[in-house]
Every structure is written in C-alpha cells, then in structure tokens.
Amino acid sequence: MERTLSIIKPDAVAKNCIGKIIDRFETAGLKVVGARMMHLSRAEAEGFYAVHKERPFFKDLVDFMVSGPVLVQVLEGDNAIAKNRELMGATDPKKAAPGTIRADFADSIDANAVHGSDSAENAASEIAFFFPSNWIFSR
Ligand code: RTP
Ligand code: MG
C-alpha cells in the first residue's frame, strides 16, 4: 500500500470538475484518505514547488497555483504514485494520452488540472507539507 499527494488545480476547480476527477481515482482503486480545500498563499505555493524555483516557468506556476482554490488530497492504494501519474497523463495536455485527466480536463501546460507526486521521496514530503498525520484516515 502506497500514498501519494494529489492537487486538483484552480482551473479544474473553477470548471466544476472535482467530482469527475475524483471518480477517476476511485474507479482506478485509489482511495481518498485525506482532503482539504485551500486557496494557497504565495508562500505556500512557492514552498510546495520549491524544487522548481530555478526553472523559467516557476513564476507562472506560482501565479497559477494561487489564482483560485484547490483541492489537496492524499490518495492511497497499490502503486498509488505511478497509478496516479498514469491517470493524470503528460504535463502538456496536447501530449497527454486520450482518456487521461489532463487530456480530458486540462487547457494548457500551465492550467493542467492536476498535480501528482512523482517519487516516493517527494510523495512523503508533499504529504507532510499539507497533512499532519492525524488528518489522514487510512481505510
Ligand atoms: P505537477 O508537478 O504539477 O504534477 O506536474 P508534472 O510533474 O507533470 O510537471 P513538472 O515538471 O513537475 O512541472 C510542474 C508544473 O510546472 C508547469 N510547467 N510548465 N512551461 C513549461 O515548460 C512547464 N513545464 C512545467 C506545469 O504546470 C507543471 O504541471
Ligand atoms: Mg511534478
């Protein structure tokens, strides 16, 4: 059993697609074991994406992530990290495989609907960033 961090980003929340995206997770056998809706501060968004702070797209990424509320979740299941990445599809929705979340709900490489942890190490630190251990309800 593995856990990963998922964020339904401001574009998908604004488009009223929270339920449709969570349905993808649940249908694939991932369980939502933690969830919080937040409007990230700039400091929170910069801290969360600190690994990208030297990248040319960092400012656009932070601007986008603070542009509206998000739904932050902990997903749990077999192979949760890879399974979530597979469900999400490629970062650029134009390159995302048909039937993936980004192919179906994302508008651009910036407004790309979802975040998912990309490694076990990052999943652990990203979950700890948003969730004290007693905010996670393993089932
Ligand atoms: P995420 O972290 O949000 O799950 O996305 P990801 O792993 O698929 O992509 P990553 O390389 O971690 O990049 C984080 C976010 O930055 C934006 N980005 N823009 N303009 C660009 O070349 C570019 N590259 C990345 C995307 O919004 C991406 O989700
Ligand atoms: Mg990433």
Side-chain angles (χ1 to χ4, degrees), residues 60-77:
D60 287 344
L61 174 59
V62 171
D63 286 346
F64 174 65
M65 291 301 289
V66 304
S67 68
V70 297
L71 188 75
V72 190
Q73 309 134 89
V74 180
L75 304 178
E76 185 177 84

PDB file of all heavy atoms in Angstrom, residues 60-77:
ATOM      1  N   ASP A  60       5.242  31.681 -13.382  1.00  0.00           N
ATOM      2  CA  ASP A  60       3.932  31.357 -13.968  1.00  0.00           C
ATOM      3  C   ASP A  60       3.236  30.261 -13.183  1.00  0.00           C
ATOM      4  O   ASP A  60       2.021  30.303 -12.974  1.00  0.00           O
ATOM      5  CB  ASP A  60       4.100  30.873 -15.424  1.00  0.00           C
ATOM      6  CG  ASP A  60       4.458  32.010 -16.373  1.00  0.00           C
ATOM      7  OD1 ASP A  60       4.289  33.187 -15.980  1.00  0.00           O
ATOM      8  OD2 ASP A  60       4.909  31.709 -17.495  1.00  0.00           O
ATOM      9  N   LEU A  61       4.023  29.263 -12.751  1.00  0.00           N
ATOM     10  CA  LEU A  61       3.462  28.145 -11.987  1.00  0.00           C
ATOM     11  C   LEU A  61       2.865  28.647 -10.663  1.00  0.00           C
ATOM     12  O   LEU A  61       1.729  28.314 -10.316  1.00  0.00           O
ATOM     13  CB  LEU A  61       4.578  27.115 -11.736  1.00  0.00           C
ATOM     14  CG  LEU A  61       4.256  25.927 -10.846  1.00  0.00           C
ATOM     15  CD1 LEU A  61       3.095  25.110 -11.406  1.00  0.00           C
ATOM     16  CD2 LEU A  61       5.506  25.034 -10.696  1.00  0.00           C
ATOM     17  N   VAL A  62       3.621  29.479  -9.953  1.00  0.00           N
ATOM     18  CA  VAL A  62       3.132  30.000  -8.669  1.00  0.00           C
ATOM     19  C   VAL A  62       1.924  30.916  -8.898  1.00  0.00           C
ATOM     20  O   VAL A  62       0.909  30.793  -8.202  1.00  0.00           O
ATOM     21  CB  VAL A  62       4.276  30.713  -7.902  1.00  0.00           C
ATOM     22  CG1 VAL A  62       3.731  31.449  -6.688  1.00  0.00           C
ATOM     23  CG2 VAL A  62       5.345  29.693  -7.494  1.00  0.00           C
ATOM     24  N   ASP A  63       2.010  31.805  -9.895  1.00  0.00           N
ATOM     25  CA  ASP A  63       0.864  32.694 -10.199  1.00  0.00           C
ATOM     26  C   ASP A  63      -0.396  31.866 -10.433  1.00  0.00           C
ATOM     27  O   ASP A  63      -1.479  32.191  -9.939  1.00  0.00           O
ATOM     28  CB  ASP A  63       1.124  33.529 -11.468  1.00  0.00           C
ATOM     29  CG  ASP A  63       2.126  34.647 -11.249  1.00  0.00           C
ATOM     30  OD1 ASP A  63       2.434  34.968 -10.086  1.00  0.00           O
ATOM     31  OD2 ASP A  63       2.609  35.202 -12.267  1.00  0.00           O
ATOM     32  N   PHE A  64      -0.240  30.798 -11.190  1.00  0.00           N
ATOM     33  CA  PHE A  64      -1.405  29.965 -11.493  1.00  0.00           C
ATOM     34  C   PHE A  64      -1.927  29.261 -10.237  1.00  0.00           C
ATOM     35  O   PHE A  64      -3.143  29.231  -9.993  1.00  0.00           O
ATOM     36  CB  PHE A  64      -1.051  28.944 -12.579  1.00  0.00           C
ATOM     37  CG  PHE A  64      -2.167  27.982 -12.819  1.00  0.00           C
ATOM     38  CD1 PHE A  64      -3.374  28.440 -13.340  1.00  0.00           C
ATOM     39  CD2 PHE A  64      -2.044  26.649 -12.478  1.00  0.00           C
ATOM     40  CE1 PHE A  64      -4.435  27.568 -13.527  1.00  0.00           C
ATOM     41  CE2 PHE A  64      -3.094  25.776 -12.658  1.00  0.00           C
ATOM     42  CZ  PHE A  64      -4.295  26.235 -13.181  1.00  0.00           C
ATOM     43  N   MET A  65      -1.019  28.719  -9.432  1.00  0.00           N
ATOM     44  CA  MET A  65      -1.459  27.936  -8.271  1.00  0.00           C
ATOM     45  C   MET A  65      -2.144  28.785  -7.197  1.00  0.00           C
ATOM     46  O   MET A  65      -2.884  28.243  -6.378  1.00  0.00           O
ATOM     47  CB  MET A  65      -0.275  27.165  -7.676  1.00  0.00           C
ATOM     48  CG  MET A  65       0.225  26.038  -8.568  1.00  0.00           C
ATOM     49  SD  MET A  65      -1.020  24.770  -8.967  1.00  0.00           S
ATOM     50  CE  MET A  65      -1.190  23.956  -7.378  1.00  0.00           C
ATOM     51  N   VAL A  66      -1.900  30.116  -7.204  1.00  0.00           N
ATOM     52  CA  VAL A  66      -2.581  30.992  -6.232  1.00  0.00           C
ATOM     53  C   VAL A  66      -3.792  31.686  -6.855  1.00  0.00           C
ATOM     54  O   VAL A  66      -4.415  32.526  -6.212  1.00  0.00           O
ATOM     55  CB  VAL A  66      -1.617  32.039  -5.618  1.00  0.00           C
ATOM     56  CG1 VAL A  66      -0.420  31.352  -4.976  1.00  0.00           C
ATOM     57  CG2 VAL A  66      -1.157  33.084  -6.630  1.00  0.00           C
ATOM     58  N   SER A  67      -4.141  31.318  -8.084  1.00  0.00           N
ATOM     59  CA  SER A  67      -5.199  32.052  -8.795  1.00  0.00           C
ATOM     60  C   SER A  67      -6.608  31.686  -8.344  1.00  0.00           C
ATOM     61  O   SER A  67      -7.570  32.356  -8.716  1.00  0.00           O
ATOM     62  CB  SER A  67      -5.066  31.839 -10.312  1.00  0.00           C
ATOM     63  OG  SER A  67      -5.358  30.489 -10.642  1.00  0.00           O
ATOM     64  N   GLY A  68      -6.741  30.612  -7.568  1.00  0.00           N
ATOM     65  CA  GLY A  68      -8.063  30.210  -7.091  1.00  0.00           C
ATOM     66  C   GLY A  68      -7.914  29.029  -6.156  1.00  0.00           C
ATOM     67  O   GLY A  68      -6.809  28.513  -5.974  1.00  0.00           O
ATOM     68  N   PRO A  69      -9.019  28.579  -5.569  1.00  0.00           N
ATOM     69  CA  PRO A  69      -8.933  27.461  -4.625  1.00  0.00           C
ATOM     70  C   PRO A  69      -8.537  26.158  -5.312  1.00  0.00           C
ATOM     71  O   PRO A  69      -8.775  25.959  -6.507  1.00  0.00           O
ATOM     72  CB  PRO A  69     -10.343  27.377  -4.040  1.00  0.00           C
ATOM     73  CG  PRO A  69     -11.221  28.119  -4.969  1.00  0.00           C
ATOM     74  CD  PRO A  69     -10.370  29.131  -5.682  1.00  0.00           C
ATOM     75  N   VAL A  70      -7.942  25.279  -4.524  1.00  0.00           N
ATOM     76  CA  VAL A  70      -7.529  23.943  -4.983  1.00  0.00           C
ATOM     77  C   VAL A  70      -8.065  22.909  -3.997  1.00  0.00           C
ATOM     78  O   VAL A  70      -8.413  23.245  -2.861  1.00  0.00           O
ATOM     79  CB  VAL A  70      -5.987  23.821  -5.062  1.00  0.00           C
ATOM     80  CG1 VAL A  70      -5.412  24.799  -6.085  1.00  0.00           C
ATOM     81  CG2 VAL A  70      -5.323  24.023  -3.697  1.00  0.00           C
ATOM     82  N   LEU A  71      -8.118  21.649  -4.436  1.00  0.00           N
ATOM     83  CA  LEU A  71      -8.444  20.558  -3.524  1.00  0.00           C
ATOM     84  C   LEU A  71      -7.203  19.665  -3.398  1.00  0.00           C
ATOM     85  O   LEU A  71      -6.783  19.056  -4.382  1.00  0.00           O
ATOM     86  CB  LEU A  71      -9.634  19.737  -4.022  1.00  0.00           C
ATOM     87  CG  LEU A  71     -10.097  18.726  -2.961  1.00  0.00           C
ATOM     88  CD1 LEU A  71     -10.870  19.424  -1.842  1.00  0.00           C
ATOM     89  CD2 LEU A  71     -10.943  17.621  -3.565  1.00  0.00           C
ATOM     90  N   VAL A  72      -6.638  19.651  -2.191  1.00  0.00           N
ATOM     91  CA  VAL A  72      -5.437  18.857  -1.931  1.00  0.00           C
ATOM     92  C   VAL A  72      -5.877  17.540  -1.296  1.00  0.00           C
ATOM     93  O   VAL A  72      -6.695  17.541  -0.371  1.00  0.00           O
ATOM     94  CB  VAL A  72      -4.483  19.602  -0.970  1.00  0.00           C
ATOM     95  CG1 VAL A  72      -3.136  18.896  -0.901  1.00  0.00           C
ATOM     96  CG2 VAL A  72      -4.299  21.051  -1.386  1.00  0.00           C
ATOM     97  N   GLN A  73      -5.364  16.427  -1.831  1.00  0.00           N
ATOM     98  CA  GLN A  73      -5.787  15.125  -1.331  1.00  0.00           C
ATOM     99  C   GLN A  73      -4.612  14.179  -1.139  1.00  0.00           C
ATOM    100  O   GLN A  73      -3.624  14.259  -1.864  1.00  0.00           O
ATOM    101  CB  GLN A  73      -6.718  14.415  -2.330  1.00  0.00           C
ATOM    102  CG  GLN A  73      -7.876  15.186  -2.828  1.00  0.00           C
ATOM    103  CD  GLN A  73      -7.953  14.988  -4.338  1.00  0.00           C
ATOM    104  OE1 GLN A  73      -8.581  14.061  -4.816  1.00  0.00           O
ATOM    105  NE2 GLN A  73      -7.267  15.826  -5.079  1.00  0.00           N
ATOM    106  N   VAL A  74      -4.768  13.264  -0.187  1.00  0.00           N
ATOM    107  CA  VAL A  74      -3.879  12.111  -0.088  1.00  0.00           C
ATOM    108  C   VAL A  74      -4.631  10.923  -0.672  1.00  0.00           C
ATOM    109  O   VAL A  74      -5.767  10.634  -0.272  1.00  0.00           O
ATOM    110  CB  VAL A  74      -3.494  11.808   1.382  1.00  0.00           C
ATOM    111  CG1 VAL A  74      -2.572  10.589   1.447  1.00  0.00           C
ATOM    112  CG2 VAL A  74      -2.837  13.020   2.030  1.00  0.00           C
ATOM    113  N   LEU A  75      -4.001  10.281  -1.663  1.00  0.00           N
ATOM    114  CA  LEU A  75      -4.585   9.082  -2.277  1.00  0.00           C
ATOM    115  C   LEU A  75      -3.794   7.873  -1.806  1.00  0.00           C
ATOM    116  O   LEU A  75      -2.568   7.926  -1.712  1.00  0.00           O
ATOM    117  CB  LEU A  75      -4.504   9.171  -3.803  1.00  0.00           C
ATOM    118  CG  LEU A  75      -5.131  10.400  -4.464  1.00  0.00           C
ATOM    119  CD1 LEU A  75      -4.926  10.354  -5.980  1.00  0.00           C
ATOM    120  CD2 LEU A  75      -6.614  10.505  -4.125  1.00  0.00           C
ATOM    121  N   GLU A  76      -4.508   6.796  -1.543  1.00  0.00           N
ATOM    122  CA  GLU A  76      -3.862   5.578  -1.043  1.00  0.00           C
ATOM    123  C   GLU A  76      -4.280   4.387  -1.897  1.00  0.00           C
ATOM    124  O   GLU A  76      -5.440   4.268  -2.287  1.00  0.00           O
ATOM    125  CB  GLU A  76      -4.287   5.353   0.409  1.00  0.00           C
ATOM    126  CG  GLU A  76      -3.594   4.179   1.095  1.00  0.00           C
ATOM    127  CD  GLU A  76      -4.025   4.070   2.545  1.00  0.00           C
ATOM    128  OE1 GLU A  76      -5.081   3.464   2.808  1.00  0.00           O
ATOM    129  OE2 GLU A  76      -3.320   4.614   3.418  1.00  0.00           O
ATOM    130  N   GLY A  77      -3.330   3.490  -2.167  1.00  0.00           N
ATOM    131  CA  GLY A  77      -3.634   2.278  -2.923  1.00  0.00           C
ATOM    132  C   GLY A  77      -2.352   1.602  -3.367  1.00  0.00           C
ATOM    133  O   GLY A  77      -1.263   2.140  -3.176  1.00  0.00           O
TER     134      GLY A  77
END
